[in-house]
Each structure stands twice: as C-alpha cells, then as structure tokens.
Amino acid sequence: MALDSTARGAGPSGRRGRATPKGRQVDDAAWAEVRALLGDRPRRRDLLIEHLHLIQDAHGHLSARHLRALAEEMRLSMAEVWEVASFYAHFDLVKEGETPPPALTVRVCDSLSCALAGAEALKSALEAGLDPAEVRVVRAPCMGRCDTAPVCEIGHNHIDAATPETVANAVRERATHVQIPDYQGHDAYVSDGGYSTLATIRASGDWEEVQARVLSSGLRGLGGAGFPSGRKWGFVRAASGPRYLAVNGDEGEPGTFKDRYYLERTPHLFLEGMLIAAWAVEADRCYIYMRDEYPAVLEILRREIAALEAAGTVAPGYVELRRGAGAYICGEESAMIESIEGKRGLPRHRPPYVAQVGLFGRPTLVHNVETLHWVARVCREGPQVLSSVEKNGRTGLRSYSVSGRVARPGVHLLPAGSTIRDVIDAAGGMAAGHDFYAYQPGGPSSGLLPARLDDVPLDFDTLQPHGSFIGSAAVVVLSTQDRARDAALNMLRFFEDESCGQCTPCRVGCEKAVKLMQAETWDADLLGDLCDAMADASICGLGQAAPNPIRLVLEHFGDEVGGDGAAPREDGYDTSQSLEG
C-alpha cells in the first residue's frame, strides 16, 4: 500500500517539513572568517566583547552573519550575542539587507570642553565638506582629550585641536592608526629603581604594614568615590579565595583625562602599584579594564604587560587587559565587572558589594588607575609624599584635569586644598579675552558653581555643602561669554545618551529633563520634582548625580532660566546666545 503525503514527510497541506531549524542559519563562509579571526583564543563567555572587537576591527562593522557565526563558535544564543553587541556604542550592527557604514568614520567629540571650542560648527563643516558615501561623521561623547579641544577620532587616530582642514587631510591620507607617544618603558623604569619596592615587599613584606602605610598617607580613591584606599584591602583579604583585582580605567567622565596623562608617560608606576595591591589581597589574577577611546594606552599596556611577563615579574596571563567599547556606565564598578564578564554593563543592585561578590562571583578589589599610581609612590617614597602637603586645612595632592576657558589646559598636580582660583592660575590664567564666570569642579555629575564661590577648597567633603563634589577633579572653566544653562543642557544630553536604561527614574528622567531644559523659561517646580525622583530612586550614581547641573543652575544662575522676576546677568551678557552659536 502506498504511503500518504504525511507519512512521506510532507505536512497536511502537502508541503514538505523544514530542512533547517527556525531562525538565522550559520553561514559557512562567515563561520570560517570568525574562526580565522579568533585563532587559538579561548572561546570563553567572558571574552565575548574582546571577540566582537576583533570582528569590528577587521570588517568595520558587525554583520548579522558574523554575529550568528560567533554565537555558534562560542556556543551562545544569537540573542545573548546581539544584546551585548547592541549595548556598546563602538559596535556597528548591520542586519541582513542593511548597508554597512562607510569605510571611514569621523567621530566628533561634543562634550562640554569641545562644545566650548566649537565642536558643533566643526561637525557641520565636516558634514558639508566630506562625501557621506565615503566618510561617516558622527557625534561622540568625551574622548579624554579635553586639553586639546576640539577633538576628532578617525579610526584609532585622534586629531587634536581639530579643524575642517586637518581632519580632511587625515581622511585624504587614510591616517587611521594610533599614534604612540614617548613614554618610560620597562627597562628605563627598572634602571630608575622601578619594581625594587615590589620585590622587597614580595620577599619580606607584611601586608598589614603596607596597608597601614597607605592609610597613613591619607590616599583615597581617585576615581570619584573617595573611599580610603588601604581599607578596601582588609575587606577583600578577609574573604575566602580565589580573589581578583580589577582596575577601573574607564575614565569616561567628561572633562577627565588624568589617567590617560599618567599612563601615556609612566605606565609602570601604575603597574607596580597594581601588583603591590594584588599582593596585599593575594589576588589570583588582575584585570585592567581600559576605555576604547584610549587606543594609545591600550597599545602601551599590551607592550608593557608583555615586558613584565618576559622579565618574570608576573606569570603569563596573570594580568589581563580588557578593552571597553564605548559605555560611560562601565565606570561604575559593578557595571565594569559585568562588562569584564562579557555582558552588558548594567550596574548591580547592592548589597552584596564587589569586595564580597565581584568578578565571577568572587571577592574583588577595585581600584582606579591614579589611585594605584599613588600606591606605588607611597610605598616607594613613604606616606609623607602625600601627608606632608597641606593647604587650606586639607592634606595631600590632587591631579586636576583642567580645560575650558583657560590659557594652558592640562593636568595640574596641586595641593588638595587648592581653590578654583589656584587651579586657574596653575593653568596660566584665563584665556585671552575671557573673564571667569562659572566652573565645573568634578565632571558633569558635580554640576556648575558660580565664580563667586572661588574660595572653596576643591577636595573630598568640601563641596558637598554647596550641592557638589570633587569627583574625578575634572575642572571645566566657563567665561562670561558662555551660558551656564547651555553647559547644563550639554551635561544632561550626555547623561541621556549614556544611561544604561535599566531603571526608569534615570532612563526617563534624563530624557524628560533634556526636553524641559530646552524651554526659554525653566519650570523650576517640575524640574525640582524630577530631580528628587531621579536622585531618590535611581540604581546607581549616574541617575543620582545627573540632577546636579539642573539644581545648581536653578540655584546660582536663575537669571538665565527664570521668568519675569529673574534679574539680568551682572556682566550684561546677551543670554539669547547659545553655546552652539
């Protein structure tokens, strides 16, 4: 008897069943290309972002076929790979049928320092002067080069003090490769006494004595939180192993570039400090998370970690360098840990804290780059290198990243009790033709303070009574030619872009704030309610601190945003002029 159509494998309608599973199919050619790029690298889940970088660098984008192949190679679902890749700004995802971006992309920084230097006009000129079929021009957040604003990036090449002409020349010459500055390499550092302190500590050191030395120096976390540095060591050391050390090199707060400054000059001072801290907590491995906007630093660290391995100072693989992918939120320590694990950089709810449950679920010591720079110096030179410096009742030294309307933008190492006037003087005074009006003391999260508050020491705990804080000591100076309301709007647009979106108060609050701040007259009551909701209910520091620029403008610069009762600015500036104009 003959079989019916169903028995032969066809469905009730007479059609045959699927030859393949549902969903995107693996393209054999794409799979081979992904395998070739990965080579003999491990296919571990935590290396997903590193593997995405390999594909993006090789092809200029992430096609759906390559992402499907990577998912197959790493034994992950396509959804896991796609959600991670789409979280980070530096990955360009291209679906089937979509046109990939042009071979060249020009990223124009539009954060506050670059905006003051004419970034908006620069971007418009580039869009008008470059062929969009050949070159894509996009806005980008802070690149950590505020001292040379305005800045563009082509590939991995930064164009400092950019003009339409210099950028066009770089495009014409296809100048996309990173430029490595001169720095102190391994051999020079060792000949100058480097790593002798680490060797002594490893041979006969008492970790509690080293911890006490760091604590007595007064060193506090220099990424912004300001927690006493040595105290963390005891928390992590007391936990059962394995333990890890994670370095937060995601210096993404606009206006901040001090970590880059030190790493591009004396990377081994930081590396020795890291290894001392790792020794103190008996860390099984060190992870350095470095922002993708610092390609020169990434290359320097690759070279110098290899030099440490060759010298036998560390075992191969003991120090892992991880590359960020354009996400400010990963400067938050738990979001950074999520990213190191190859996931979206979403902040974790706490407790538990990362010192207890951190990287891969293990106790983790997290330090900032500059903090470890000072750990090495304190251990080499003694606690007095910091504790002997006093000014205005404050102790220690601070690296101020200074930009904006000053004559000499840059990193200026000053006593921790310095005021904004001291900082401006160290930066050569105000730029020609500019008079001091306002300042950002510690990145956008710290908001804006008026020039009349020029006697406040810029240090931990001194700015809180004024509704601000020192944060990462990212100082941006505004002049009477600027408007505080424009600067605040620039800051909130940054937060709107960089919110991870996990919590509603931050995700929706930043968006609504930007809309409200564009009104000629601000609704102070509504903005105040919004600020309260964001500060009280956001999961992490981004949403909690984002209202600061709004609150401080309303408090100190109400004449720029108020209604009929607002007094005009004392300097007579025409407040109808905008930052972009």
Side-chain angles (χ1 to χ4, degrees), residues 67-358:
L67 291 178
R68 178 66 185 88
L70 180 63
E72 187 73 18
E73 185 66 13
M74 296 186 69
R75 299 294 188 265
L76 297 172
S77 70
M78 181 64 172
E80 287 180 275
V81 174
W82 191 274
E83 75 169 11
V84 171
S86 61
F87 182 86
Y88 296 93
H90 289 186
F91 294 137
D92 294 304
L93 280 65
V94 179
K95 297 179 181 179
E96 295 90 343
E98 293 182 344
T99 302
L104 288 181
T105 295
V106 176
R107 300 182 187 275
V108 184
C109 177
D110 70 349
S111 291
L112 183 55
S113 298
C114 285
L116 293 172
E120 185 68 27
L122 174 62
K123 180 174 178 287
S124 297
L126 293 175
E127 289 173 331
L130 298 174
D131 182 357
E134 299 293 330
V135 183
R136 177 178 57 160
V137 179
V138 298
R139 52 176 295 276
C142 186
M143 299 177 186
R145 308 182 75 86
C146 317
D147 51 333
T148 58
V151 175
C152 293
E153 185 180 28
I154 305 175
H156 295 303
N157 180 27
H158 285 103
I159 311 297
D160 295 327
T163 65
E165 293 74 27
T166 58
V167 175
N169 288 339
V171 168
R172 188 162 44 250
E173 295 169 5
R174 292 297 192 267
T176 61
H177 299 296
V178 62
Q179 301 178 47
I180 307 298
D182 292 333
Y183 67 92
Q184 186 183 42
H186 177 267
D187 293 347
Y189 183 73
V190 170
S191 67
D192 197 32
Y195 293 111
S196 59
T197 301
L198 175 66
T200 300
I201 286 174
R202 281 177 167 177
S204 57
D206 177 347
W207 81 269
E208 290 180 313
E209 186 277 326
V210 176
Q211 179 191 40
R213 205 184 314 175
V214 172
L215 285 169
S216 65
S217 74
L219 179 63
R220 295 171 66 172
L222 296 170
F227 192 81
S229 297
R231 194 175 299 167
K232 289 183 178 182
W233 297 3
F235 299 153
V236 177
R237 175 94 180 208
S240 60
R243 310 175 195 90
Y244 299 111
L245 183 148
V247 178
N248 192 337
D250 199 64
E251 185 180 48
E253 189 81 4
T256 314
F257 48 94
K258 59 186 177 61
D259 291 354
R260 176 184 63 82
Y261 176 87
Y262 289 120
L263 289 171
E264 288 184 348
R265 288 161 177 80
T266 55
H268 283 281
L269 200 56
F270 148 70
L271 288 169
E272 184 169 16
M274 178 190 72
L275 294 176
I276 290 171
W279 165 84
V281 300
E282 296 183 324
D284 284 44
R285 184 167 292 190
C286 299
Y287 291 84
I288 302 174
Y289 188 87
M290 187 55 56
R291 65 186 311 219
D292 197 32
E293 290 86 350
Y294 288 174
V297 170
L298 284 161
E299 180 57 30
I300 288 169
L301 290 175
R302 287 187 195 101
R303 295 177 183 180
E304 300 312 312
I305 291 169
L308 286 176
E309 293 176 349
T313 305
V314 297
Y318 180 74
V319 180
E320 285 203 28
L321 179 61
R322 293 297 177 87
R323 178 179 165 191
Y328 165 76
I329 192 63
C330 290
E332 196 277 336
E333 63 178 8
S334 66
M336 174 195 68
I337 284 174
E338 290 287 301
S339 191
I340 293 174
E341 292 179 355
K343 305 172 186 173
R344 293 178 296 167
L346 298 177
R348 297 176 179 177
H349 291 270
R350 290 173 289 183
Y353 296 93
V354 298
Q356 305 161 301
V357 182

Side-chain angles (χ1 to χ4, degrees), residues 385-414:
V385 69
L386 291 176
S387 61
S388 64
V389 181
E390 293 187 13
K391 186 179 179 69
N392 292 329
R394 312 301 299 175
T395 301
L397 292 165
R398 288 206 68 100
S399 302
Y400 296 98
S401 303
V402 189
S403 61
R405 308 299 195 182
V406 293
R408 291 198 306 270
V411 173
H412 298 279
L413 184 63
L414 300 172

Side-chain angles (χ1 to χ4, degrees), residues 478-492:
L478 275 64
S479 81
T480 53
Q481 298 182 31
D482 305 312
R483 292 201 304 177
R485 62 174 294 154
D486 289 337
L489 180 57
N490 180 281
M491 297 172 185
L492 264 295

